[in-house]
């Protein structure tokens, strides 16, 4: 248990060991937390829960603050199992408690747990009194599930934002002013890039709507990672920035290689980017973490993808990150492709089609090199990288 305020407590759990989330869909190098909060007033409210395996530890934490039987209200901002898993056990112990949830949240929670609780469906603007202070609800559908909502505590001016503004970051501290903020931001942008990118337009709309309530915000308490206590609006400003076709004047090269020739091309292209004055990152798509690659794609204006041709296509190992790129619906990215080949050489064209299908603007024709690149061909690769880099910089000069 840790205190946010005299009457507000963190009763979450810390998962140092988890290295993958969503099955194996999201890497969590720095672990995570499942944040849950108790608000003590004339009524006692519990906000958000934990993943099932952490239920016993969570119940012990709650018991440090209140007797379970004293909990009047349970607030479920989001039904995904990392937050609702523990409710199945908790609600059997406190069947008297009213369970506040969005309409979609009720459906999602019920279909996961198949238990009848005292569901109280709330919508944007609904309030409940705790005595001295109130809880105000704002629905945030598709950020990132249809059921999501956030809860605001008046008087203490705390926004319980659930997944929004969160980070998969385990720590012995719970506030942003007590941790290495560089690490926190790395996890926050990774979360945004990998989860929220497709919903960026909605993010802006919803942030505007929440700001429109003119509620003072002294703390933002998400459901993962640290609580934004020092200058909480800094993460809101970052979300506005990230949601607005965020891009740095940099490039990422994603490639796989069979006999090093495509890798040689990649390095020659990289030298060209550097000559243009553009910083870049390179990822061998098999050896790099998929979510880290996506984070770098999110940050960079330009993405160059390379693969040798095999069986008249590109290497299948290139496909997972390409699929992820397509699903995340990036906007405003520039793209180019390359690859070595032995006889037919379809790969750059097919990779280009994939990037076009992902709404990338292809700024130069794909580059194919037959077998081992000669010095003359490496110069061509260098020029390919240089012209791509110059195009990136030109985009920023336009602004
Ligand atoms: Fe942290 Fe969408 O669950």
């Amino acid at each position: 248990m840790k205190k946010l305020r005299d009457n507000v407590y963190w009763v979450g759990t810390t998962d140092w060991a988890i290295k993958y989330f969503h099955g194996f869909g999201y890497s969590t190098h720095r672990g995570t937390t499942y944040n849950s909060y108790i608000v003590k007033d004339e009524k006692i409210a519990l906000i958000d829960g934990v993943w099932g395996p952490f239920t016993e530890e969570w119940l012990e934490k709650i018991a440090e603050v209140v007797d379970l039987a004293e909990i009047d209200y349970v607030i479920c901002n989001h039904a995904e199992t990392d937050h609702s898993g523990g409710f199945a056990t908790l609600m059997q112990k406190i069947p008297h408690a009213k369970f506040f949830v969005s309409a979609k949240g009720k459906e999602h929670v019920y279909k996961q747990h198949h238990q009848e609780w005292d569901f109280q469906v709330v919508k944007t603007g609904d309030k409940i009194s705790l005595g001295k202070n109130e809880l105000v609800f704002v629905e945030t559908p598709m950020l990132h599930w249809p059921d999501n909502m956030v809860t605001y505590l008046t008087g203490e001016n705390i926004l319980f934002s659930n997944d929004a503004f969160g980070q998969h970051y385990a720590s012995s501290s719970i506030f942003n002013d007590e941790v290495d903020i560089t690490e926190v931001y790395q996890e926050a942008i990774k979360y945004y890039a990998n989860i929220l990118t497709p919903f960026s337009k909605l993010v802006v709309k919803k942030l505007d709507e929440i700001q429109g309530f003119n509620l003072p915000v002294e703390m933002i308490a998400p459901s993962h990672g640290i609580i934004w206590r020092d200058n909480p609006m800094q993460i809101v400003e970052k979300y506005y920035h990230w949601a607005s076709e965020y891009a740095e004047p940099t490039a990422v090269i994603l490639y796989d290689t069979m006999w090093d020739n495509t890798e040689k091309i990649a390095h020659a292209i990289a030298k060209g980017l550097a000559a243009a004055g553009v910083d870049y990152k390179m990822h061998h798509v098999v050896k790099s973490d998929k979510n880290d690659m996506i984070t770098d794609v999110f940050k960079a204006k330009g993405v160059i993808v390379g693969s040798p041709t095999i069986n008249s296509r590109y290497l299948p190992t290139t496909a997972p990150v390409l699929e992820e790129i397509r699903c995340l619906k990036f906007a405003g990215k520039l793209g180019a492709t390359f690859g070595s080949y032995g006889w037919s050489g379809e790969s750059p064209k097919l990779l280009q089609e994939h990037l076009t299908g992902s709404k990338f603007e292809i700024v130069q024709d794909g580059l194919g090199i037959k077998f081992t690149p000669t010095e003359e061909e490496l110069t061509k690769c260098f020029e390919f990288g240089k012209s791509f880099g110059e195009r990136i910089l030109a985009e920023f000069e336009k602004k």
Side-chain angles (χ1 to χ4, degrees):
M1 177 273 285
K2 293 188 178 176
K3 264 189 179 186
L4 279 70
R5 290 279 165 78
D6 282 346
N7 55 342
V8 185
Y9 303 80
W10 177 84
V11 290
T13 57
T14 305
D15 191 347
W16 293 93
I18 192 166
K19 294 300 165 199
Y20 287 97
F21 211 77
H22 291 162
F24 286 89
Y26 187 109
S27 58
T28 45
H29 307 312
R30 291 188 170 93
T32 194
T33 66
Y34 312 104
N35 294 343
S36 174
Y37 304 94
I38 289 277
V39 182
K40 271 179 150 178
D41 201 328
E42 288 165 29
K43 297 285 186 185
I44 292 177
L46 171 73
I47 301 175
D48 289 330
V50 302
W51 186 32
F54 287 81
T55 305
E56 287 309 313
E57 184 184 334
W58 176 50
L59 297 182
E60 284 167 19
K61 286 249 179 69
I62 296 172
E64 291 173 20
V65 181
V66 293
D67 284 338
L68 286 183
E70 292 180 304
I71 296 173
D72 300 288
Y73 303 144
V74 174
I75 316 300
C76 174
N77 282 316
H78 179 31
E80 194 165 3
T81 196
D82 52 323
H83 307 296
S84 75
F87 287 144
T89 302
L90 175 77
M91 293 308 291
Q92 283 172 358
K93 295 178 187 292
I94 54 168
H96 64 275
K98 293 188 185 308
F99 192 93
F100 292 86
V101 67
S102 68
K104 270 286 171 200
K106 178 183 171 185
E107 176 197 330
H108 290 184
V109 168
Y110 185 79
K111 293 302 279 184
Q112 292 191 73
H113 299 301
H114 305 283
Q115 293 179 14
E116 298 290 346
W117 304 332
D118 186 1
F119 290 109
Q120 304 285 319
V121 171
V122 291
K123 56 187 186 319
T124 295
D126 286 353
K127 299 172 184 178
I128 54 170
S129 173
L130 299 180
K132 190 165 145 246
N133 296 323
E134 289 180 322
L135 292 176
V136 184
F137 305 104
V138 180
E139 293 168 281
T140 54
M142 297 320 295
L143 300 179
H144 66 122
W145 270 25
D147 71 301
N148 275 90
M149 65 178 194
V150 299
T151 299
Y152 177 80
L153 174 63
T154 65
E156 302 299 339
N157 303 333
I158 300 173
L159 180 68
F160 297 95
S161 61
N162 198 266
D163 281 337
F165 313 124
Q167 339 85 43
H168 287 303
Y169 184 72
S171 167
S172 55
S173 304
I174 62 165
F175 295 111
N176 65 327
D177 47 294
E178 296 175 336
V179 297
D180 180 341
I181 200 65
T182 308
E183 289 183 348
V184 170
Y185 266 115
Q186 199 171 326
E187 295 305 326
I189 197 169
K190 178 179 175 180
Y191 187 87
Y192 191 97
N194 283 273
I195 306 288
L196 290 173
T197 297
F199 311 116
S200 282
K201 285 197 173 110
L202 280 172
V203 169
V204 172
K205 213 171 139 203
K206 194 45 75 173
L207 291 180
D208 284 347
E209 186 187 324
I210 295 171
Q211 303 254 67
F213 285 98
N214 289 319
L215 300 168
V217 175
E218 292 178 23
M219 269 189 218
I220 295 178
S223 56
H224 296 293
I226 57 84
I227 296 160
W228 302 92
R229 174 173 69 175
D230 174 48
N231 181 18
M233 294 309 284
Q234 63 180 290
I235 188 65
V236 178
E237 285 158 23
K238 282 287 180 197
Y239 265 46
Y240 269 119
H241 198 187
W242 294 338
S244 307
E245 292 193 15
Y246 180 80
E248 298 167 8
T250 60
V252 181
I253 301 173
L254 307 172
Y255 72 94
D256 196 0
T257 192
M258 288 172 71
W259 293 108
D260 299 339
N261 290 327
T262 299
E263 190 163 58
K264 280 180 190 150
I265 299 169
H267 282 285
I269 290 172
K271 282 183 188 163
L273 288 167
V278 166
D279 288 336
Y280 63 87
K281 292 203 172 159
M282 293 180 76
H283 288 287
H284 184 299
V285 294
V286 178
K287 297 176 185 173
S288 286
D289 177 89
K290 183 192 66 176
N291 305 106
D292 291 342
M293 288 191 278
I294 289 295
T295 308
D296 285 339
V297 167
F298 177 79
K299 290 178 182 172
K301 180 69 181 173
V303 180
I304 307 177
V305 184
S307 166
T309 297
I310 184 166
N311 297 329
S312 306
R313 293 195 61 78
Y314 47 79
L315 279 174
T317 44
T318 319
V321 73
L322 289 175
E323 276 308 302
E324 198 80 22
I325 285 172
R326 193 193 290 263
C327 293
L328 288 170
K329 300 186 174 131
F330 289 102
K333 300 289 184 196
L334 307 180
T337 61
F338 65 96
S340 169
Y341 67 97
W343 49 100
S344 57
E346 291 89 345
S347 160
K349 182 169 171 287
L350 293 172
L351 290 170
Q352 193 166 300
E353 284 171 10
H354 201 290
L355 289 184
T356 303
S358 306
K359 306 284 191 256
F360 279 48
E361 181 186 351
I362 302 299
V363 297
Q364 52 202 47
D365 285 341
L367 177 65
I369 304 285
K370 189 159 187 167
F371 287 119
T372 306
T374 62
E375 282 306 312
E376 196 178 318
E377 285 167 329
L378 287 175
T379 301
K380 201 173 157 191
C381 300
F382 171 89
E383 293 300 335
F384 182 91
K386 188 160 175 276
S387 65
F388 190 82
E390 287 165 351
R391 176 60 192 271
I392 289 173
L393 295 180
E395 291 287 318
F396 286 85
E397 280 161 16
K398 275 197 268 176
K399 290 180 179 169

